[in-house]
Amino acid sequence: MQKIAILYQAKLPPIKNGIQKPMKPGGYADSGADIACELEKNGINVVTPVNNPTIENDLDWVFPDTKKGIQDALNKGANTFWLNTVLHKNHDIESFYNRNIEFVGQMPSQVDVYDDKFFTNEFLRKHDIPIPETEKISIDNKKNYILTIDFPMVIKPIRGRGSQGVFLVKNRKELDKTLEILFSDKAYGNSVYVEKFLSGQELTITIMPSGSYKVNNQEIKYDKPWSLPAVKRTNHKNGIAPYNGIVAVMKNSSVVADSELQSKSIRKVCYQCEKAGMLLNIKAPIRIDCRADEKGMYYLFDLNMKPNMTGPSRPQRSNQDSLTLLASRKMGWDYIDLLKNMLKQTWRFPN
């Protein structure tokens, strides 16, 4: 019998090559509690840090992703760990690989590589996946760099989270000012990257790993990664989709209409996202943001190895559908269906 413990991020990840990935306030304890509550409501055995968790308190439902937190969950009988946290090489969960346990989530060693968005973009580009023009700027050359990308452009953290720390800049003066702020703040490390701004429609596409899924009450086997219906992003602020910690995605996102989902351009970009999932050998859902240029051609511009999995499992969280859940509803899945299908993709180490 599965006994599931949900992990949340308890501390900042280590700096990697001078780059810092920022930490979400609360370390995803909110979505972890959403997951745990929904599973428990539906009769799935969830292990919690306290015996009688309350729906108002996120930390009643989730364990910190430290050696102590993981061991505490094991002591309470957990045999499946939902890695609802930021992973990296030498993450504490790797110390428990030799136990007889299963995991929901990505392999830490893979996340360590592909959380570097600049590296991942270049990797995908080499495999003929359309990526906008990008260039890296470091703190050492911030005053004398030479760019070949035309303005406007977007400046981004290399190990970012969604749209946090992402800015549209329209000229050299704005770029230099933003660089000064980002490097003095030190929240993202000593390098960032810029990419060509795409003026067309923005989509978010969730890619599910290969495996067996329950769809419309039927078991379907997918031999390779596959895409959920594309979600359209609207109401951008200064050209950038607002960070979902400030604006709930339900207020600025909706599944693309059926007629458009079948269009050649969207079918093509979904195929490219699926190809990316296959190249990265994903073990759990990833989220890929895409945007069209002025001619309507879509480019992949942001691959997220840990999409948010918030959901309306508690009264105070009724508006917290994630982008992946919005897409899932188009499949006929509600929150528990999405979570159950993710649970079907558990893996053991080595795999």
Side-chain angles (χ1 to χ4, degrees):
M1 176 190 295
Q2 280 184 326
K3 295 184 178 180
I4 302 159
I6 316 292
L7 297 184
Y8 77 96
Q9 185 185 7
K11 58 186 177 182
L12 272 170
I15 294 174
K16 177 84 171 180
N17 298 325
I19 306 300
Q20 178 69 69
K21 185 178 181 74
M23 182 170 169
K24 178 184 176 181
Y28 301 98
D30 55 351
S31 56
D34 291 342
I35 294 167
C37 288
E38 187 70 6
L39 294 176
E40 186 187 64
K41 282 194 306 184
N42 287 275
I44 297 173
N45 199 324
V46 176
V47 177
T48 57
V50 299
N51 292 332
N52 296 296
T54 61
I55 59 173
E56 297 84 9
N57 190 352
D58 295 343
L59 294 179
D60 282 0
W61 297 91
V62 291
F63 292 87
D65 63 342
T66 59
K67 287 182 179 179
K68 182 180 185 307
I70 297 164
Q71 187 61 56
D72 286 347
L74 287 169
N75 293 344
K76 285 177 169 283
N79 58 23
T80 303
F81 283 86
W82 195 302
L83 306 177
N84 191 51
T85 182
V86 170
L87 299 169
H88 51 81
K89 189 177 179 181
N90 298 323
H91 187 282
D92 283 343
I93 194 64
E94 293 183 350
S95 301
F96 296 84
Y97 275 169
N98 62 343
R99 309 292 183 93
N100 187 30
I101 54 180
E102 295 184 327
F103 303 98
V104 179
Q106 309 292 352
M107 292 189 69
S109 57
Q110 289 176 295
V111 177
D112 194 72
V113 174
Y114 298 121
D115 239 6
D116 182 322
K117 296 178 185 294
F118 185 80
F119 170 86
T120 301
N121 283 350
E122 295 305 301
F123 172 74
L124 296 178
R125 193 197 312 277
K126 290 176 183 176
H127 286 84
D128 299 321
I129 292 175
I131 303 292
E133 299 173 68
T134 56
E135 294 187 29
K136 186 186 290 189
I137 302 174
S138 73
I139 193 169
D140 295 325
N141 71 347
K142 67 177 182 177
K143 292 184 178 180
N144 57 6
Y145 60 87
I146 299 174
L147 295 175
T148 60
I149 303 173
D150 293 331
F151 290 98
M153 63 181 64
V154 179
I155 183 168
K156 294 182 171 183
I158 288 177
R159 290 183 178 266
R161 277 194 320 106
S163 57
Q164 184 182 16
V166 177
F167 300 94
L168 173 66
V169 291
K170 299 175 182 177
N171 52 55
R172 180 73 180 234
K173 182 177 179 181
E174 288 185 8
L175 175 58
D176 288 343
K177 181 179 180 181
T178 305
L179 288 173
E180 191 66 39
I181 293 170
L182 290 175
F183 288 140
S184 62
D185 187 53
K186 298 182 180 179
Y188 307 105
N190 61 15
S191 295
V192 295
Y193 72 102
V194 293
E195 71 181 19
K196 178 180 173 61
F197 175 68
L198 302 171
S199 60
Q201 178 169 276
E202 181 172 338
L203 302 175
T204 290
I205 300 171
T206 295
I207 302 299
M208 308 295 287
S210 60
S212 179
Y213 292 83
K214 194 166 187 179
V215 182
N216 296 325
N217 295 316
Q218 292 184 329
E219 287 289 327
I220 298 180
K221 175 72 173 179
Y222 291 90
D223 294 327
K224 57 184 181 180
W226 58 286
S227 55
L228 296 183
V231 173
K232 183 187 301 187
R233 309 301 306 278
T234 56
N235 298 329
H236 292 65
K237 184 175 181 180
N238 295 327
I240 307 298
Y243 171 49
N244 62 17
I246 298 174
V247 179
V249 297
M250 292 178 68
K251 293 184 177 181
N252 59 19
S253 309
S254 60
V255 177
V256 173
D258 289 340
S259 58
E260 194 175 358
L261 283 173
Q262 297 307 314
S263 68
K264 182 179 179 179
S265 61
I266 290 186
R267 285 189 288 113
K268 183 177 180 180
V269 74
C270 286
Y271 166 77
Q272 297 287 6
C273 290
E274 292 165 1
K275 181 180 176 181
M278 185 167 57
L279 288 167
L280 272 57
N281 190 29
I282 60 173
K283 304 291 186 186
I286 61 173
R287 194 191 76 219
I288 304 179
D289 296 327
C290 312
R291 200 156 177 172
D293 63 13
E294 66 278 1
K295 297 179 181 178
M297 177 178 170
Y298 282 98
Y299 294 77
L300 286 64
F301 71 84
D302 188 16
L303 190 148
N304 190 325
M305 293 293 285
K306 190 223 162 298
N308 214 346
M309 285 295 160
T310 55
S313 62
R314 297 175 285 169
Q316 74 273 27
R317 305 276 292 171
S318 60
N319 69 338
Q320 288 300 309
D321 280 22
S322 66
L323 290 163
T324 296
L325 181 51
L326 288 177
S328 297
R329 293 194 188 283
K330 183 68 174 179
M331 295 279 299
W333 294 349
D334 58 18
Y335 193 32
I336 188 59
D337 296 322
L338 170 62
L339 299 181
K340 283 182 176 179
N341 274 294
M342 290 179 67
L343 273 174
K344 288 165 69 69
Q345 317 313 319
T346 56
W347 53 274
R348 295 175 184 270
F349 186 88
N351 191 4

